[in-house]
Amino acid sequence: MITIENILEKNQIKSIKDLIDYEVENYLCKEVPLYQSYNNMHIKYKDIQLLSFLFNTMLKETEIATNEKLNIAESWFNICKEDSKFEFHNHKEKYITCVYFLENCEENGPLFKINNSCLQLLCKDNSLAIFDPEIMHSIPEWKGKNRYTVAMDFVKKEV
């Protein structure tokens, strides 16, 4: 697992948080746990400069970490609210996963099941975590403040 800190400026974080709120309030994906967007945010918002910058940064940092050329397979927004319910899952068909921890993620990072143990990644706001998508993982329970993340799955770029 790799983490990278200080991805965006404070004003950029606020703008992305506002956009996530808008997306989840108006276009909530009903096939996944509350409150998650559809998984095509890198396509839907490709012309929004700030989000395009974030998506490209996530891609570039993940390519550096894996030493592979990658394509974004899916990307989505998550908000963990008081009534959110998440379960452990994995992303078996993907090569690598990257999560950007936007807000209220300090001491509230993802949970991982490894060798029958549950471990929590202690991450900082405004950081990325890159991890193996086959590891069972989950979003932790709500801890008094809404938690915002942007997630991406990648596949290897075909040569």
Side-chain angles (χ1 to χ4, degrees):
M1 188 159 326
I2 297 168
T3 58
I4 301 155
E5 298 178 8
N6 301 317
I7 303 302
L8 298 175
E9 301 295 325
K10 278 189 176 187
N11 63 327
Q12 294 173 312
I13 292 169
K14 166 121 177 55
S15 295
I16 291 176
K17 180 183 169 271
D18 291 345
L19 198 140
I20 292 172
D21 281 331
Y22 174 81
E23 181 67 29
V24 169
E25 286 172 18
N26 293 287
Y27 304 103
L28 183 66
C29 183
K30 304 217 189 287
E31 294 132 27
V32 294
L34 288 174
Y35 295 86
Q36 185 172 308
S37 72
Y38 286 91
N39 64 356
N40 64 344
M41 296 299 99
H42 63 291
I43 296 168
K44 183 173 183 176
Y45 290 106
K46 71 180 178 0
D47 295 328
I48 303 295
Q49 186 176 11
L50 179 56
L51 277 175
S52 179
F53 172 78
L54 176 61
F55 297 148
N56 285 329
T57 299
M58 293 172 76
L59 172 62
K60 182 172 41 172
E61 292 294 345
T62 305
E63 285 181 331
I64 291 168
T66 61
N67 198 30
E68 293 283 352
K69 290 293 184 189
L70 304 170
N71 284 323
I72 300 169
E74 300 173 333
S75 63
W76 61 97
F77 305 144
N78 279 313
I79 306 173
C80 180
K81 297 184 179 190
E82 187 171 12
D83 58 341
S84 295
K85 300 283 185 236
F86 296 98
E87 295 180 9
F88 278 91
H89 64 280
N90 62 15
H91 308 210
K92 283 187 176 185
E93 304 299 317
K94 305 305 182 274
Y95 173 70
I96 196 85
T97 295
C98 176
V99 177
Y100 172 64
F101 300 100
L102 190 71
E103 185 175 88
N104 299 325
C105 301
E106 303 265 342
E107 309 299 321
N108 199 14
L111 304 170
F112 293 94
K113 277 192 182 177
I114 301 172
N115 297 330
N116 296 321
S117 295
C118 187
L119 307 170
Q120 185 168 30
L121 176 65
L122 299 179
C123 58
K124 295 183 177 184
D125 288 353
N126 195 23
S127 69
L128 292 176
I130 301 166
F131 59 91
D132 181 342
E134 292 194 21
I135 297 173
M136 295 296 288
H137 58 279
S138 182
I139 295 171
E141 291 184 17
W142 187 75
K143 293 188 178 169
K145 293 181 181 177
N146 292 348
R147 174 186 181 272
Y148 289 79
T149 59
V150 177
M152 280 189 165
D153 281 334
F154 299 93
V155 293
K156 286 185 182 181
K157 190 177 275 189
E158 294 189 24
V159 185

